[in-house]
Structure formats: structure tokens, C-alpha cells
């Protein structure tokens, strides 16, 4: 990848990550997960996982990113992760998905907050405290002035990082994750889309 291409990818990811993996502050924020039903002009129509069909107006200058497969073994001391997790019956938290952020995006959305991937799930964005704490597929994340959270990563947990994508990837059936806003008239708008490509789908 050339330096110019790398800069473009990082710029795309930078615009994406701040909204796609951080819980939006606005009360009308809507996270949409599903598959592309149609894409024409500036309108993306998504068949959601709940079974509805949502038409999303894409804002001028909207951005797109894909995801690439990664491994828990790729995680090292100092990495910045976004992990959706749920409480385990035996205590602690178990990961539902893991996103390894590029170094340029360290600190994006740092903290721990409710998430809606599954009932009672949470999203934690933080820095891996120490490489010695990655044992038995368990990581300890630090965030918000020294708070810590230990999260186990089961073998089946999808682990990804961000990757380049283009609007051409928005083919019918492609899996997408969209952080949108619903207006007072019910219309949905968004300025970024995460799309599955090369056989990898957005797990968040």
C-alpha cells in the first residue's frame, strides 16, 4: 500500500470509527445492522436484522470502510481495542466481538458504555494494560483515568480491524453496520457505513 493510499484509508477510518463504535450522544441515534437491499444515488436501503427495511439518506461526503480478519494473538501491549461484551454466569465479562484500532486512532471513544449487540451487552474502548495480562484469551483494558476491565475472548469471538472499502462493495446482500440519526419526521441519515467485504462482516 502506498503512503498516499494509507493516508486515504486512515482518513476514512478516522471519520468512521468515531461514530460507528462509540455510543452516540444524541437521543435520536440509531445503530442499524443488516444487509444491503439496494443502493442507488445517495440512498442506502437496508434489510435490518429485526426484519424491517430502512432507507438511509447518505450525507454529502459520506465515508465507507470495510473490516479485515484479525486474531486475538495479534493483540499486544499498548494496543487500543473496542470490545462488545456481556457478563458471564461465573463472573467477569465475555467478548462478543473485538475491534483492533489502528495506532492512529488510539483513544477513540475511550470508556465503557451500554451497547445493543445483544441484550445487556456493553462496549468498552480501552488500551491493553500489559501484554502479560493477555493469557487464556483474556485481556485487561484500561480507560478513563486508570479504570480497568478484564474481558475473556472465547475462541469463536470474531476479531477484526478496519480495512479499505468502496461504494461498489454495497452490493445487495452485503452485511452492513450503520450509525444513523432519525429525524423528527422519521427519516434516517448517516455519514458513514461499515460494510463486509472479502468474506469478513462487521461484527459490531
Amino acid at each position: 500500500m502506498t503512503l498516499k493510499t494509507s493516508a486515504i484509508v486512515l482518513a476514512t477510518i478516522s471519520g468512521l470509527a468515531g461514530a460507528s463504535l462509540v455510543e452516540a450522544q444524541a437521543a435520536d441515534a440509531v445503530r442499524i445492522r443488516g444487509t444491503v437491499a439496494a443502493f442507488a444515488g445517495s440512498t442506502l436501503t437496508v434489510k435490518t436484522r429485526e426484519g424491517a427495511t430502512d432507507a438511509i439518506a447518505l450525507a454529502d461526503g459520506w465515508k465507507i470502510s470495510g473490516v479485515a480478519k484479525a486474531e486475538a494473538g495479534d493483540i499486544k501491549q499498548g494496543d487500543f481495542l473496542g470490545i462488545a461484551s456481556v457478563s458471564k454466569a461465573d463472573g467477569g465479562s465475555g467478548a462478543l466481538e473485538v475491534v483492533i484500532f489502528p495506532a492512529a486512532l488510539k483513544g477513540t471513544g475511550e470508556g465503557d458504555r451500554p451497547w445493543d449487540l445483544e441484550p445487556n451487552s456493553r462496549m468498552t474502548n480501552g488500551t491493553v494494560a500489559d501484554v502479560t495480562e493477555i493469557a487464556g484469551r483474556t485481556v485487561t483494558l484500561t480507560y478513563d483515568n486508570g479504570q480497568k476491565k478484564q474481558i475473556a475472548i472465547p475462541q469463536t469471538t470474531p476479531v477484526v480491524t478496519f480495512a479499505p472499502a468502496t461504494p461498489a462493495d454495497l452490493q445487495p446482500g452485503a452485511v452492513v453496520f450503520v450509525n444513523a440519526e432519525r429525524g423528527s419526521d422519521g427519516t434516517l441519515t448517516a455519514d458513514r457505513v461499515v460494510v463486509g467485504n472479502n468474506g469478513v462482516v462487521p461484527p459490531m
Side-chain angles (χ1 to χ4, degrees), residues 6-192:
S6 298
I8 292 172
V9 170
L10 283 176
T12 299
I13 292 170
S14 182
L16 152 78
S20 66
L21 296 184
V22 181
E23 180 161 26
Q25 298 299 311
D28 57 357
V30 182
R31 285 184 286 270
I32 298 171
R33 303 172 176 89
T35 57
V36 174
F39 173 54
S42 60
T43 300
L44 176 65
T45 304
V46 177
K47 180 75 171 180
T48 73
R49 66 176 183 176
E50 292 79 17
T53 300
D54 288 336
I56 306 165
L58 300 176
D60 291 344
W62 66 281
K63 300 175 177 64
I64 185 169
S65 178
V67 286
K69 191 178 188 310
E71 302 290 343
D74 297 333
I75 299 169
K76 60 186 182 300
Q77 179 183 10
D79 279 350
F80 191 79
L81 311 180
I83 304 181
S85 65
V86 291
S87 296
K88 300 188 299 179
D90 59 353
S93 297
L96 300 172
E97 59 85 24
V98 179
V99 175
I100 303 174
F101 282 79
L105 299 180
K106 184 174 182 177
T108 301
E110 183 176 356
D112 179 81
R113 59 191 63 81
W115 198 244
D116 60 356
L117 184 58
E118 288 188 6
N120 303 313
S121 60
R122 300 188 68 81
M123 176 62 72
T124 308
N125 286 19
T127 302
V128 177
D130 192 291
V131 70
T132 62
E133 294 186 74
I134 306 172
R137 290 185 173 268
T138 296
V139 298
T140 299
L141 300 183
T142 61
Y143 56 92
D144 290 349
N145 299 317
Q147 294 187 66
K148 291 187 176 184
K149 184 171 184 177
Q150 193 170 71
I151 305 174
I153 305 175
Q155 291 280 350
T156 55
T157 303
V159 182
V160 301
T161 189
F162 292 116
T166 72
D169 291 308
L170 295 175
Q171 297 293 321
V175 180
V176 292
F177 173 86
V178 184
N179 200 68
E181 290 190 357
R182 190 182 301 279
S184 58
D185 59 356
T187 59
L188 291 166
T189 60
D191 57 9
R192 52 189 52 81

